[in-house]
Amino acid sequence: MVSLSQHGVAHLYREHHSWIYQWLYHRLGNSADAADLAHDTFLRVMVREHQYHIEQPRAYLTVVAKGLMVSWFRRKHIERNYLVLLAERSEQTHPSTEQHYLIIETLVEISLLLEDLPHEVRLSFLYAQLEGLKYQDIADKLNLSLSTVKRHVKKAYLHCLTAMMDHDC
């Protein structure tokens, strides 16, 4: 059992860092990525306020690492798709390194925001926003009624608006 005081995190790190690194390396197949996520796992543990003892440190670290790994895979997927689109554009229109980073971060945030929506709502919204489809075309494509598509897009807009208002507070 480990208490997560500052001393407890140091103990947790000493006892389990190499194990979580190996666990991540086995799943990612890349030493640098495994080292980064192992580091991030312990950072996540440190910034959380823990008022309890950890009975099973490896199980706890695995849960934290899995969450970070899911986020990492999402980010890599988004970044790969963005780079494919960027490759289709002329070099003159490529963003700076800083802009590239901000674009990827924004796309990840948007992805997380839209992930909260039901599948048909998300698709309706994306078809309207990204492909510029008319509501009737979306209805035909998704085999939905026109009124359902309108309701879905409205729900997505409200969801985004609420998130923006929450973020500003």
Side-chain angles (χ1 to χ4, degrees), residues 27 67 102-103 142 147:
R27 279 148 187 82
L102 291 173
I103 289 168
L142 297 177
S147 62

Side-chain angles (χ1 to χ4, degrees), residues 33-70:
D33 293 336
D36 286 346
L37 286 178
H39 175 77
D40 291 350
T41 298
F42 285 96
L43 281 177
R44 179 74 52 96
V45 170
M46 282 176 48
V47 299
R48 289 187 178 160
E49 290 190 30
H50 299 282
Q51 302 298 325
Y52 54 88
H53 297 289
I54 296 176
E55 299 282 333
Q56 299 176 352
R58 288 187 176 182
Y60 177 74
L61 292 171
T62 301
V63 168
V64 174
K66 280 182 182 178
L68 290 169
M69 203 166 39
V70 166

